[in-house]
Amino acid sequence: MEKKEFLYEGKAKKMYRTDDHALLLVEFKDDATAFDGEKKDQLTDKGILNNRLSEIFFSFLEKKGVKTHYVKRLSEREMLVKALEIIPIEVIVRNIAAGSISKRLGIPEGMALKKTVLEFSLKNDDLHDPMINHYHIYALDLAKPEEMAVIEKTALKINELLQPYLKEKGIVLVDFKLEFGRHKGEVILGDEISPDTCRFWDSGSGEKLDKDRFRRDMGGVIEAYREVLRRLEGGT
Ligand code: TMP
Ligand code: ASP
């Protein structure tokens, strides 16, 4: 597979064309950002860890019948994926209150939610990814009702699959963010699944094993990502 011209750069990844027009190459960077890019740093090896962790999550989900853009990992930082027409909606799945929902609704972090919460945001950093609902989605024609049905069903299925998988590794899946896109007429999962896009808490101590360590200046960010990888690779 040949790496061809550079396509675009996001906050954590760069995309390149390949010699197959249906496939793209993703390069995971060490850049860490928070608050829509206001806070920035370089975290050595973050890209390598997120590439490997995304590979593990995507492979697991594919095995369970979830369609994703993942094809294979090519190198330490590179992953081959199916080219998607991105649907500009961030889909957030929450099991336990944390982060923005705690602030917005005045509920304590760590409070279990009686029912899984799904939220949608418009993918637009300049506008700080504003929360939207189905009315906005259809009014702006961001996705069709049939596509939203697939997105919601898939997001909830991913939650049902990842919660027990992570629990076995001593990790509580607090919340996570997904992105979807269109590929050959189908809506499939895109982007990444990593401690950048999920909240992972240690089951015993409640210790944060995700990007909140960076957002909140807690230190030990990369150590936490490494710990997640160690557990997923079957270490004890
Ligand atoms: P929030 O509580 O800040 O809304 O975040 C909810 C989840 O979404 C959390 O797991 C982190 C993830 N997330 C992203 O992946 N990208 C983002 O830009 C934001 C704001 C959150
Ligand atoms: N990814 C977002 C940013 O880079 C926000 C976040 O993850 O907290 O600003």
Side-chain angles (χ1 to χ4, degrees), residues 36-227:
D36 305 312
E38 252 174 59
K39 181 179 164 73
K40 278 193 197 129
D41 209 346
Q42 286 271 314
L43 299 172
T44 305
D45 292 350
K46 181 173 83 78
I48 296 172
L49 291 161
N50 281 354
N51 189 24
R52 174 76 181 118
L53 283 163
S54 289
E55 174 192 12
I56 292 172
F57 284 120
F58 283 139
S59 309
F60 168 76
L61 292 173
E62 284 279 353
K63 249 193 271 161
K64 300 288 182 183
V66 176
K67 289 185 179 161
T68 79
H69 72 158
Y70 173 76
V71 178
K72 63 176 175 179
R73 187 165 63 86
L74 294 171
S75 70
E76 266 196 332
R77 289 180 185 276
E78 296 169 325
M79 178 180 282
L80 190 65
V81 299
K82 295 169 189 157
L84 299 185
E85 182 198 332
I86 293 292
I87 297 172
I89 300 172
E90 298 200 346
V91 179
I92 293 168
V93 183
R94 300 185 189 271
N95 297 307
I96 295 174
S100 68
I101 197 175
S102 289
K103 280 209 188 98
R104 193 174 351 107
L105 303 182
I107 47 178
E109 275 211 342
M111 194 187 91
L113 298 164
K114 289 226 163 68
K115 189 178 184 326
T116 302
V117 171
L118 276 190
E119 292 173 354
F120 308 102
S121 298
L122 177 67
K123 200 171 147 57
N124 185 323
D125 276 348
D126 294 337
L127 300 174
H128 308 292
D129 298 341
M131 191 186 278
I132 52 176
N133 64 29
H134 290 82
Y135 288 90
H136 301 107
I137 291 170
Y138 304 141
L140 304 181
D141 201 20
L142 302 177
K144 302 285 181 216
E146 315 82 74
E147 293 178 323
M148 286 309 292
V150 173
I151 287 174
E152 286 169 49
K153 195 170 158 218
T154 307
L156 293 173
K157 178 174 179 184
I158 291 170
N159 191 40
E160 290 312 311
L161 290 168
L162 289 186
Q163 277 191 94
Y165 171 70
L166 286 162
K167 190 175 175 193
E168 226 173 80
K169 320 276 180 187
I171 296 171
V172 178
L173 180 60
V174 175
D175 58 31
F176 56 100
K177 188 258 305 183
L178 301 171
E179 296 184 26
F180 293 84
R182 304 178 184 98
H183 178 80
K184 296 184 179 166
E186 258 191 319
V187 172
I188 65 174
L189 181 67
D191 197 44
E192 67 180 270
I193 302 181
S194 73
D196 271 14
T197 61
C198 303
R199 284 196 174 93
F200 296 138
W201 291 355
D202 177 75
S203 307
S205 64
E207 189 190 353
K208 296 185 195 311
L209 300 172
D210 57 61
K211 194 175 160 188
D212 269 349
R213 301 198 72 89
F214 171 72
R215 295 188 189 98
R216 302 178 188 194
D217 294 320
M218 297 169 75
V221 186
I222 285 305
E223 290 77 1
Y225 284 41
R226 272 193 216 292
E227 175 61 17

Side-chain angles (χ1 to χ4, degrees), residues 11-28:
K11 293 195 294 290
K13 301 186 281 296
K14 285 185 192 171
M15 308 293 296
Y16 296 84
R17 278 195 212 285
T18 66
D19 42 18
D20 182 337
H21 76 282
L23 300 176
L24 297 179
L25 187 149
V26 184
E27 187 186 298
F28 285 77

